């Protein structure tokens, strides 16, 4: 195998040296009790945040967001782009002191794609050779294109050259795992003595619905450049308690805030808004007897006043969405979203015309003025999603004479119902996992576990498959634009609402929180001043 390049990991250069490490406990909240903190079952931002603190994959990101070596100190790619060899560093260790081995990546990757695991994020492994066939039950997991050549050398084979493979392997679902702690132990993530990681931190305490407490992993290879010694993640199911806790000092950071507190937080200096690569949308069950008619889906989409939502409810600088893939991703030239434009107007001036078109489409579908249209059940977890749903409920009633009931579900229950498509309409969003439009485009292929709406279009599938099978950016981007034309322009398989920003509340005492556009918060470098 000809070596094309070897990228050596660089050493973090931080503004805060070990001499100024703060020994106070940093107390933060990124959500309520998570559905899972098992890397194979991660499905939401909060879970991802916990995992990047406790695990490390082949590659990782530095403070500036650059991809550097993680467990792998170098790697090389074959001339045809189909094979990559990763060389693991000698000093990569688990929190119990055991060396990280290539076999532990093989075990983790196989577990991820195993149909019996039923991981909702397994679709991200699709570029790896045989992954799709294994996930569909056609091949055994042992036939996945991942091989331990020896203890320190890992070979990964791809179905086709994958332009974004380094971005992909930064995602914590691709972390190594220890079979000796996981097999025959469904509760391995619940206890510090069994929740073994290889990242900057180790878990020292977990109280369900209360906290996940972490401290520096002294066996971590790059521990000398980690600043925070201890982080307590506080589980907050009621986000209204975050602001009082922040003011009185029992909390230093919350990634979840009440929208009606934004102006107050801004005035008092607690508000931090960072860019986000995310889209809020309504998932509409395409297999539902009424919603399987794309005219109905389009009518519901056009009858929503997105400007009202971002100006009066969210109020965090969000932008009304007239498409699915957000701004901030590179095209062949320029920005993917800017080049693709909107599939319907989101300007205030055109809202009245949108409503008239919505009425026409609903009548054409057989529900003139909402006659005989069933009550739509809408599901959401508590929070801003309820307030937005109440506004949309009124818009659909006033504009289309369509009634909607709102059901609130606890976060973990809601996540499961959304993933299993146990809903009619529900709150949904997608925040990119890597910096390529494919992180959005591949979601709605027929076999994707991320396809929460039941959309199935063979032409869409073929466009995405072709885009995944080449490193020719002209072909890749062209296909993804055409795929989005089908997804939103032709079929309105989902209802885009707005493009995210990432508002958080932060104590002025807390320094150096790193938030990327994927909304992953890293508290590695944080300290109190």
């Amino acid at each position: 195998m000809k070596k094309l390049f070897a990228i050596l990991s660089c050493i973090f250069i931080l503004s805060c040296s070990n001499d100024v490490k703060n020994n106070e406990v940093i107390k933060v909240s990124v959500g309520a009790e998570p559905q899972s903190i098992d890397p194979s079952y991660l499905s939401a931002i909060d879970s991802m945040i916990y995992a990047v603190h406790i695990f490390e994959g082949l590659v990782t990101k530095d403070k500036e967001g650059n991809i550097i070596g993680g467990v792998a100190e170098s790697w090389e790619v074959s001339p045809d782009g189909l094979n990559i060899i990763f060389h693991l560093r000698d000093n990569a260790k688990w929190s119990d002191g055991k060396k990280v081995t290539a076999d532990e990546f093989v075990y983790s990757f196989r577990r991820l794609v195993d149909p019996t695991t039923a991981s909702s994020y397994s679709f991200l492994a699709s570029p790896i050779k045989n992954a799709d066939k294994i996930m569909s039950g056609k091949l055994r997991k042992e036939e996945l294109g991942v091989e331990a050549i020896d203890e320190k050398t890992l070979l990964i084979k791809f179905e086709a050259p994958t332009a974004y493979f380094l971005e992909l392997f930064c995602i914590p679902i691709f972390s190594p795992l220890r079979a000796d702690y996981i097999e025959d132990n469904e509760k391995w993530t619940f206890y510090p003595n069994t929740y073994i990681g290889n990242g900057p931190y180790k878990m020292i305490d977990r109280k369900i619905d209360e906290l996940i407490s972490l401290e520096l992993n002294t066996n971590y290879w790059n521990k000398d450049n980690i600043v925070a010694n201890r982080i307590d993640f506080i589980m907050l199911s009621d986000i209204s308690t975050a602001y009082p806790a922040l003011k009185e000092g029992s909390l230093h950071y919350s990634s979840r805030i009440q929208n009606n507190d934004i102006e107050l937080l801004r005035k008092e200096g607690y508000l931090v808004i960072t860019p986000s690569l995310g889209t809020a949308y309504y998932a509409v069950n395409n297999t539902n007897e009424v919603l399987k008619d794309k005219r109905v889906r389009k009518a519901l989409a056009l009858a929503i006043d997105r400007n009202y939502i971002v100006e009066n409810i969210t109020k965090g600088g969000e932008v009304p969405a007239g498409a699915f893939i957000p701004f901030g991703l590179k095209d062949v030239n320029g920005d993917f979203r800017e080049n693709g434009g909107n599939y319907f107007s989101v300007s205030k001036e055109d809202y009245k015309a949108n409503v008239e078109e919505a009425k026409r489409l609903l009548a054409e579908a057989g529900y003139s003025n909402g006659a005989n249209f069933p009550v739509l059940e809408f599901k959401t977890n508590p929070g801003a999603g309820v307030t937005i749903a109440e506004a949309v409920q009124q818009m659909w009633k006033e504009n289309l004479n369509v009634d909607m009931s709102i059901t609130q579900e606890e976060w973990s229950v809601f996540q499961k119902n959304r993933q299993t498509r146990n809903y009619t309409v529900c709150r949904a969003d997608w925040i990119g996992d890597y910096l390529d439009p494919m992180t959005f485009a591949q979601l709605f292929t027929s076999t994707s576990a991320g396809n929460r709406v039941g959309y199935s279009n063979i032409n869409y599938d073929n466009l995405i498959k072709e885009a995944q099978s080449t490193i020719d950016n002209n072909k890749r981007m062209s296909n993804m634009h055409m795929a989005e034309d089908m997804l939103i322009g032709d079929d309105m398989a989902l209802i885009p609402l707005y493009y995210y920003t990432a508002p958080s509340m932060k104590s002025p005492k807390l320094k150096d929180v790193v938030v990327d556009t994927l909304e992953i918060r890293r508290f590695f470098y944080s300290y109190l001043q």
Side-chain angles (χ1 to χ4, degrees):
M1 181 178 292
K2 183 178 178 182
K3 184 173 181 179
L4 292 187
F5 60 84
I7 305 177
L8 299 178
S9 63
C10 59
I11 298 174
F12 295 121
I13 300 174
L14 303 176
S15 58
C16 298
S17 70
N18 291 337
D19 295 335
V20 297
K21 278 184 179 178
N22 193 295
N23 288 315
E24 290 186 70
V25 179
I26 294 171
K27 298 182 178 181
V28 303
S29 178
V30 295
E33 178 63 30
Q35 184 180 22
S36 177
I37 55 173
D38 182 329
S40 299
Y41 291 95
L42 302 178
S43 63
I45 292 296
D46 56 340
S47 303
M48 296 284 183
I49 293 171
Y50 305 132
V52 297
H53 286 76
I54 299 165
F55 295 90
E56 182 174 81
L58 294 163
V59 289
T60 186
K61 292 186 178 181
D62 66 13
K63 192 175 182 182
E64 286 71 41
N66 303 307
I67 295 175
I68 62 170
V71 175
E73 62 181 355
S74 65
W75 50 93
E76 55 205 44
V77 182
S78 64
D80 59 9
L82 294 177
N83 299 291
I84 304 170
I85 289 181
F86 287 92
H87 302 280
L88 311 191
R89 61 179 75 249
D90 285 327
N91 58 346
K93 295 180 180 180
W94 294 91
S95 57
D96 64 356
K98 180 182 178 295
K99 280 192 174 183
V100 179
T101 67
D103 276 326
E104 289 156 346
F105 281 98
V106 173
Y107 169 74
S108 174
F109 285 33
R110 287 177 177 174
R111 181 175 185 253
L112 179 67
V113 301
D114 188 339
T116 63
T117 301
S119 167
S120 63
Y121 256 48
S122 59
F123 65 92
L124 288 176
S126 289
I128 300 174
K129 190 171 182 60
N130 291 334
D132 283 339
K133 292 177 182 177
I134 294 167
M135 289 186 283
S136 63
K138 296 177 182 176
L139 291 177
R140 297 177 300 110
K141 65 182 179 181
E142 289 77 14
E143 295 179 74
L144 185 67
V146 181
E147 175 186 343
I149 296 175
D150 57 39
E151 190 176 81
K152 290 179 52 186
T153 313
L154 183 72
L155 169 64
I156 298 180
K157 300 177 181 179
F158 287 106
E159 289 285 354
T162 303
Y164 51 92
F165 76 90
L166 287 180
E167 284 280 352
L168 199 64
F169 291 143
C170 287
I171 304 170
I173 63 167
F174 294 106
S175 302
L177 292 173
R178 291 275 294 273
D180 53 330
Y181 282 95
I182 294 176
E183 295 301 309
D184 301 319
N185 185 8
E186 292 182 357
K187 298 286 187 179
W188 76 280
T189 64
F190 287 84
Y191 307 102
N193 64 327
T194 55
Y195 192 49
I196 301 297
N198 68 315
Y201 294 90
K202 63 181 180 180
M203 186 168 76
I204 58 172
D205 193 13
R206 183 177 185 185
K207 294 182 174 69
I208 301 301
D209 289 320
E210 292 184 29
L211 69 79
I212 295 174
S213 187
L214 311 180
E215 72 174 9
L216 181 67
N217 173 15
T218 55
N219 284 309
Y220 179 54
W221 69 271
N222 200 29
K223 65 181 182 300
D224 291 341
N225 291 303
I226 300 300
V227 177
N229 281 317
R230 177 168 163 176
I231 307 165
D232 280 0
F233 286 95
I234 312 298
M235 307 293 118
L236 290 182
S237 55
D238 181 1
I239 62 172
S240 67
T241 62
Y243 175 58
L246 199 76
K247 289 207 71 171
E248 59 93 15
S250 60
L251 191 68
H252 303 120
Y253 183 96
S254 174
S255 63
R256 298 169 67 235
I257 63 179
Q258 293 192 120
N259 296 105
N260 55 10
D261 286 339
I262 282 182
E263 293 307 319
L264 178 62
L265 291 167
R266 184 180 282 119
K267 180 180 178 181
E268 297 190 353
Y270 294 120
L271 182 67
V272 178
I273 296 179
T274 53
S276 171
L277 193 68
T279 303
Y281 69 96
Y282 276 178
V284 287
N285 193 332
N286 285 215
T287 65
N288 177 273
E289 188 61 30
V290 174
L291 296 179
K292 68 182 181 182
D293 188 329
K294 66 182 179 181
R295 295 170 298 185
V296 172
R297 300 194 296 266
K298 288 181 179 181
L300 294 173
L302 289 170
I304 295 174
D305 186 347
R306 291 160 179 79
N307 287 285
Y308 177 87
I309 292 171
V310 301
E311 291 175 7
N312 298 282
I313 302 176
T314 60
K315 297 185 287 189
E318 297 85 357
V319 176
F324 179 58
I325 299 175
F327 295 93
L329 292 166
K330 291 182 179 179
D331 206 330
V332 177
N333 295 296
D335 183 271
F336 186 93
R337 179 73 281 126
E338 289 181 3
N339 293 341
N342 291 325
Y343 292 100
F344 52 89
S345 176
V346 292
S347 71
K348 293 181 181 180
E349 295 76 18
D350 292 335
Y351 180 55
K352 185 176 180 180
N354 284 352
V355 171
E356 291 306 311
E357 175 64 6
K359 290 178 178 179
R360 186 192 69 79
L361 287 167
L362 201 65
E364 187 178 296
Y367 304 103
S368 181
N369 194 35
N372 300 317
F373 200 92
V375 175
L376 292 175
E377 183 190 21
F378 180 88
K379 290 186 177 183
T380 182
N381 59 310
V386 177
T387 309
I388 295 171
E390 288 170 346
V392 172
Q393 180 185 48
Q394 185 173 347
M395 293 169 194
W396 283 349
K397 181 62 176 177
E398 290 181 356
N399 296 324
L400 303 176
N401 197 29
V402 167
D403 291 307
M404 180 176 85
S405 64
I406 300 173
T407 300
Q408 295 186 55
E409 297 179 331
E410 184 266 330
W411 177 228
S412 60
V413 174
F414 172 67
Q415 277 187 285
K416 183 176 182 180
N417 282 333
R418 186 169 60 181
Q419 289 166 4
T420 56
R421 214 177 301 138
N422 180 23
Y423 71 89
T424 304
V425 183
C426 74
R427 185 194 76 80
D429 55 21
W430 190 256
I431 298 167
D433 291 302
Y434 49 92
L435 298 178
D436 189 277
M438 188 59 73
T439 188
F440 288 85
Q442 77 172 125
L443 279 179
F444 294 101
T445 57
S446 300
T447 57
S448 169
N451 185 346
R452 295 166 175 162
V453 301
Y455 180 65
S456 183
N457 184 326
I458 188 63
N459 295 319
Y460 185 94
D461 295 347
N462 289 337
L463 284 169
I464 298 305
K465 185 176 181 179
E466 286 178 6
Q468 290 176 319
S469 301
T470 180
I471 56 174
D472 179 350
N473 262 347
N474 288 293
K475 179 65 173 175
R476 292 178 65 245
M477 298 302 169
S478 174
N479 274 30
M480 284 189 280
H481 278 297
M482 288 190 288
E484 193 180 27
D485 291 346
M486 293 179 187
L487 181 73
I488 306 298
D490 294 341
D491 295 332
M492 196 65 74
L494 55 102
I495 299 176
L497 292 180
Y498 54 87
Y499 302 121
Y500 274 142
T501 57
S504 303
M505 64 174 87
K506 183 180 78 67
S507 166
K509 292 175 60 179
L510 182 63
K511 307 297 181 184
D512 282 1
V513 178
V514 176
V515 185
D516 61 27
T517 58
L518 307 176
E519 294 200 31
I520 299 298
R521 277 84 171 168
R522 290 177 172 84
F523 300 95
F524 304 174
Y525 320 111
S526 301
Y527 61 100
L528 297 172
Q529 190 177 73

